[in-house]
């Protein structure tokens, strides 16, 4: 197979071509599973021809990949490639034939190196992904929000492009801004709009129209404070603060889930705009950052 059939790829943010390394293109990215590979857990009862089905267990994606080196496989090249490929944790691989899809994988097993005259040849190596699917590229959005927007409820869209329904991939981060630095030492917007008893609510209008969305509160003991950063992972059920505040204990754990397709998300405060001086209502009081990636079955 000639070099013209080699395909560019990126692994952990570095191009394989920097080492003269290309994926062998054979009408596909590499030997891989199709769709979900799963084991069924059943029980056969004597006298009953129909087994009892308890549940399915999905297996992570795994397979092999063949790489061509346009450099001779000298000892120096082998060491450079080994350092490039064999990591202690999962890293993202993206190929030029499908640049919007990434595989979070780790190389394992016993690689096979086949060389011919001049030391040119192919490397075959096994891989294992961190999930039963490939991923979309991470989608990151940032929204600087003012008290006026929060009182009315700020609405934005999140598009779940996955073709697998049973996964929640929402991460959010709230960064409270200390506006005292730019307000000649006067009270900050957070002091105005986020005193101890106030709360922030994030709701998916597609599936949380009734009841409450996800709520994080400030309390007398643990108020929402300037310069605080709150990280929320809806999928893992995790809430953390950089200020050693116990935000997990002050949230209602009503985690947001994204339905397939477009979702409308609303973030708001349970306060009225009359509580904030007019010159503060259009001042950014915190920034909301959202990060999502979605399972892609191929």
């Amino acid at each position: 197979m000639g070099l013209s059939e080699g395909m560019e790829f990126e692994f952990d943010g570095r191009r394989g071509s920097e080492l003269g390394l290309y994926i062998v293109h054979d009408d596909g990215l590499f030997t891989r599973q199709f769709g979900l590979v799963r084991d069924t857990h059943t029980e056969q009862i004597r006298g009953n021809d129909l087994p009892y089905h308890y549940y399915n267990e999905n297996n992570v994606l795994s397979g092999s990949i063949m790489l061509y080196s346009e450099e001779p496989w000298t000892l120096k090249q082998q060491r450079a490639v080994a350092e490039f490929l064999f990591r202690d944790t999962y890293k993202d691989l993206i190929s030029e034939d499908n640049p919007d899809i990434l595989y979070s994988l780790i190389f394992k097993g016993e690689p096979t190196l086949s060389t011919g005259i001049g030391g040119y040849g192919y490397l075959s190596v096994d891989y294992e992904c961190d999930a039963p699917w490939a991923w979309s590229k991470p989608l990151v959005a940032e929204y600087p929000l003012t008290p006026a927007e929060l009182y009315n409820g700020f609405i934005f869209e999140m598009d779940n492009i996955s073709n697998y329904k049973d996964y929640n991939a929402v991460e959010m981060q709230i960064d409270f801004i200390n506006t005292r630095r730019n307000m000649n030492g006067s009270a900050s917007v957070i002091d105005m709009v986020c005193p101890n008893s106030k709360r922030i609510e994030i709701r998916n209008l597609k599936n949380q129209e009734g009841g409450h969305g996800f709520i994080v509160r400030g309390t007398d003991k643990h108020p929402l404070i300037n310069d605080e950063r709150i990280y929320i992972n809806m999928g893992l059920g995790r809430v953390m603060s950089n200020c050693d505040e116990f935000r997990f204990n002050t949230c209602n754990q009503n985690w947001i889930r994204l339905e397939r397709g477009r979702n409308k998300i609303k973030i708001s405060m349970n306060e009225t705009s009359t509580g904030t001086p007019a010159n503060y209502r259009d001042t950014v009081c915190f920034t909301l950052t959202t990060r999502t990636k979605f399972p892609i079955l191929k």
Side-chain angles (χ1 to χ4, degrees), residues 274-293:
T274 57
T276 302
N279 61 321
Y280 277 85
R281 292 173 192 164
D282 295 321
T283 301
V284 174
C285 60
F286 71 69
T287 299
L288 173 70
T289 303
T290 64
R291 185 182 186 275
T292 54
K293 64 176 184 178

Side-chain angles (χ1 to χ4, degrees), residues 50-174:
L50 302 178
Y52 290 97
H53 176 256
Y54 295 117
Y55 63 94
N56 300 322
E57 185 174 7
N58 297 330
N59 298 321
V60 298
L61 283 175
S62 62
S64 62
I65 182 172
M66 183 174 287
L67 302 171
Y68 172 83
S69 175
E70 64 179 5
E71 301 291 332
W73 285 100
T74 61
L75 182 58
K76 179 180 178 180
Q77 175 71 346
Q78 292 177 44
R79 288 176 174 173
V81 171
E83 182 179 358
F84 174 51
L85 295 179
F86 293 98
R87 309 297 184 85
D88 293 332
T89 57
Y90 295 94
K91 302 296 181 182
D92 292 339
L93 184 145
I94 304 171
S95 66
E96 67 175 347
D97 69 332
N98 207 339
D100 294 325
I101 303 298
L102 62 85
Y103 294 83
S104 182
L105 55 78
I106 190 169
F107 291 108
K108 65 172 192 174
E110 299 181 6
T112 301
L113 181 60
S114 302
T115 59
I117 298 175
Y120 295 95
Y122 304 92
L123 174 68
S124 180
V125 60
D126 295 333
Y127 68 89
E128 182 176 277
C129 294
D130 70 343
W133 46 70
W135 296 99
S136 67
K137 280 189 174 180
L139 305 173
V140 180
E142 186 174 288
Y143 304 96
L145 298 175
T146 66
E149 291 172 313
L150 291 167
Y151 294 149
N152 297 325
F154 178 77
I155 297 176
F156 60 96
E157 288 191 347
M158 300 183 77
D159 190 10
N160 183 351
I161 61 174
S162 175
N163 58 351
Y164 179 69
K165 64 179 182 178
D166 295 326
Y167 183 81
N168 181 13
V170 186
E171 296 176 72
M172 295 185 178
Q173 182 172 294
I174 298 173

Side-chain angles (χ1 to χ4, degrees), residues 118-235:
Y120 295 95
Y122 304 92
L123 174 68
S124 180
V125 60
D126 295 333
Y127 68 89
E128 182 176 277
C129 294
D130 70 343
W133 46 70
W135 296 99
S136 67
K137 280 189 174 180
L139 305 173
V140 180
E142 186 174 288
Y143 304 96
L145 298 175
T146 66
E149 291 172 313
L150 291 167
Y151 294 149
N152 297 325
F154 178 77
I155 297 176
F156 60 96
E157 288 191 347
M158 300 183 77
D159 190 10
N160 183 351
I161 61 174
S162 175
N163 58 351
Y164 179 69
K165 64 179 182 178
D166 295 326
Y167 183 81
N168 181 13
V170 186
E171 296 176 72
M172 295 185 178
Q173 182 172 294
I174 298 173
D175 288 282
F176 292 99
I177 297 172
N178 189 345
T179 55
R180 280 182 180 162
R181 298 169 185 157
N182 301 317
M183 291 287 184
N184 299 319
S186 58
S188 69
V189 175
I190 298 303
D191 294 331
M192 294 289 185
V193 302
C194 297
N196 298 349
S197 62
K198 298 303 181 282
R199 70 183 188 179
I200 297 170
E201 181 174 9
I202 307 171
R203 179 192 299 267
N204 187 350
L205 299 179
K206 194 168 185 177
N207 55 23
Q208 292 179 316
E209 294 232 16
H212 296 295
F214 174 85
I215 296 173
V216 60
R217 295 180 177 87
T219 66
D220 291 338
K221 188 175 181 180
H222 300 287
L224 301 172
I225 58 179
N226 292 302
D227 294 325
E228 182 175 3
R229 169 175 290 177
I230 300 176
Y231 169 77
I232 307 163
N233 190 312
M234 300 291 182

